[in-house]
Amino acid sequence: MQDNRAVQRDYEPDIIDVRRNPYPRGYEEQRRRTPQRQGAVQGARRAHQSRETEGVARRVPQPRSASERQVAYRQERVAQPRSTSERQVAYRQDMRQQPRSASERQTAYRQDMRQQPRSTSGRQTAYRQDMRQQPRRTSELQPIGRQPVRRADNGRQVQMIPTGGRQSREAVLRERRRRQRRRQRIAIGLWAVCIIAISGVLLLNRNNVSAAEPAFGGGTSKDTTDIKENTNPSTAMIQGLPADKFTAHPDWTENFLTPNEYSRPGEALTEVKDVFVHYTANPGTSAAQNRSYFEQQKDTHKASVSAHFIIGCEGEIIQCVPLDEIAYAVAGRNYDSVSIECCHTSKDGAFSKETYDSLIALLTWLTDAYDLDTSHILRHYDSNGKKCPLYYTEHEDEWEQLKRDVKAY
């Protein structure tokens, strides 16, 4: 088919920018340059090279033109043999300084070997002569006293012994024996110091014991008096009270509650200002049953309730809480009071004769132990208005009679 584009008047063929040889793009331009241009380029290159080697050119001047370089080359060649024969002559002259035959080389080798021992015995003899110049024993290098002194690198003085011979060995042995005797004396001194120290400690303890014993002649020393005073029953404390006061309490049974946060919290009772009297409000129950009710609170968690003492209908007394701990009996007064629960058989809360008698005895002891008068014997009713004990809140005259009985007991 005919290409119609060639017929068109304004048709312009596409310009293909493809290199036709593998040389760089600038190479073709350099080929098209004129000889004058090439000469200018070469001149610029020579100027650049001359600047780079300016330092060397200053020290070693070189010819700048072709004629100068040829003259320099000829002068250098004149200093060397120009022909093969001349080079051979120079080589022979150099070889004459060395042995040329095998016999001459052997002679030179033998002359060199004569300076060294040729046999095994000769080498051994040379080795022995060399070893004689060195110390033969390690002990000869060890320092020893009363010998010439030199100063070591660290500044300490080291005394050296002469090397070699029987005399040096004997000196070493004497030094060893002297050191052994020194160690023995030091060990003996340490043992003596230890024995003296132990003897002094034993003697001091014996003097202290003898000072604590009664003095000669039947008298008593001050230390013995102090010991007796410290063991005085009046100074011993039981449940926050002096032992002599505590032991005077009426008969009771100690059956403390298990420590728990609902009936026996274990908090300290630091002072006692009043003694409160309660009733159980449960007619016909015993002291043991009410004590069990207090104990059950650690498991049931129904109420926080307890008392220091419970008096039964037959007059028995059970101590549930120590007197140096608080009991949950009177709200707001548990930290400065002691509480007594009393059992009863009648519904009006009147106490039996046995309960009443035990209550009077216990109140009398408590007021004496804490130095209180009968005005500090209170009812639960006196603290917060609760009708407890019921009978004595409704019969004021009977309550006053109870306090008179305590005072007259």
Side-chain angles (χ1 to χ4, degrees), residues 250-251 287 310-317 340-345 350-363 392 402 409:
D251 295 336
I310 301 176
I311 301 176
C313 296
E314 296 180 0
E316 70 277 14
I317 303 175
I340 303 171
E341 285 281 355
C342 298
C343 299
H344 55 94
T345 56
F351 300 156
S352 64
K353 184 177 183 305
E354 292 79 5
T355 302
Y356 184 85
D357 292 341
S358 296
L359 177 60
I360 296 301
L362 183 58
L363 288 173
Y392 291 100
L402 183 145
Y409 186 78

Side-chain angles (χ1 to χ4, degrees), residues 307-374:
H308 290 90
F309 298 97
I310 301 176
I311 301 176
C313 296
E314 296 180 0
E316 70 277 14
I317 303 175
I318 298 176
Q319 186 181 13
C320 301
V321 179
L323 291 173
D324 54 354
E325 297 181 15
I326 67 170
Y328 288 146
V330 182
R333 297 297 308 277
N334 292 324
Y335 289 89
D336 62 354
S337 64
V338 174
S339 294
I340 303 171
E341 285 281 355
C342 298
C343 299
H344 55 94
T345 56
S346 60
K347 294 182 179 181
D348 60 354
F351 300 156
S352 64
K353 184 177 183 305
E354 292 79 5
T355 302
Y356 184 85
D357 292 341
S358 296
L359 177 60
I360 296 301
L362 183 58
L363 288 173
T364 302
W365 176 79
L366 287 172
T367 53
D368 291 341
Y370 291 104
D371 296 329
L372 303 176
D373 54 22
T374 55

Side-chain angles (χ1 to χ4, degrees), residues 150-260:
R150 68 177 180 86
R151 189 168 299 276
D153 295 338
N154 56 2
R156 299 178 57 186
Q157 291 183 356
V158 180
Q159 297 176 344
M160 304 300 297
I161 63 174
T163 60
R166 183 179 301 175
Q167 183 178 0
S168 62
R169 181 182 299 178
E170 293 177 355
V172 171
L173 295 177
R174 287 196 301 271
E175 179 64 17
R176 290 179 180 176
R177 288 193 293 270
R178 186 175 64 83
R179 291 179 179 177
Q180 291 178 357
R181 289 194 298 269
R182 185 190 305 169
R183 295 192 188 100
Q184 291 177 358
R185 288 194 294 269
I186 293 174
I188 293 172
L190 292 176
W191 276 107
V193 171
C194 293
I195 292 173
I196 293 172
I198 294 172
S199 301
V201 172
L202 295 176
L203 182 61
L204 182 62
N205 293 335
R206 184 177 179 181
N207 293 334
N208 293 336
V209 172
S210 61
E213 294 178 354
F216 181 77
T220 58
S221 63
K222 180 178 179 181
D223 296 337
T224 306
T225 304
D226 295 338
I227 294 174
K228 290 184 178 180
E229 289 180 356
N230 293 332
T231 58
N232 191 346
S234 61
T235 58
M237 303 297 290
I238 301 176
Q239 296 187 20
L241 291 172
D244 56 346
K245 291 184 178 181
F246 182 83
T247 55
H249 66 76
D251 295 336
W252 66 51
T253 301
E254 290 185 358
N255 192 3
F256 297 142
L257 301 173
T258 303
N260 64 93

Side-chain angles (χ1 to χ4, degrees), residues 10 50 103 124 208-209 333 396 400:
D10 298 333
S50 63
S103 60
Q124 291 178 355
N208 293 336
V209 172
R333 297 297 308 277
E396 291 287 343
E400 295 298 330

Side-chain angles (χ1 to χ4, degrees), residues 29-75:
E29 297 178 358
Q30 293 178 3
R31 293 289 300 270
R32 290 193 294 269
R33 291 178 181 176
T34 59
Q36 295 80 6
R37 180 64 177 174
Q38 293 180 359
V41 172
Q42 292 178 0
R45 289 179 180 175
R46 285 195 298 271
H48 178 70
Q49 292 178 358
S50 63
R51 285 195 300 270
E52 290 182 351
T53 58
E54 183 178 358
V56 179
R58 290 176 181 177
R59 294 192 300 272
V60 182
Q62 297 181 0
R64 301 181 61 182
S65 63
S67 60
E68 292 177 355
R69 287 197 299 272
Q70 290 178 359
V71 173
Y73 176 74
R74 290 173 183 174
Q75 291 176 357

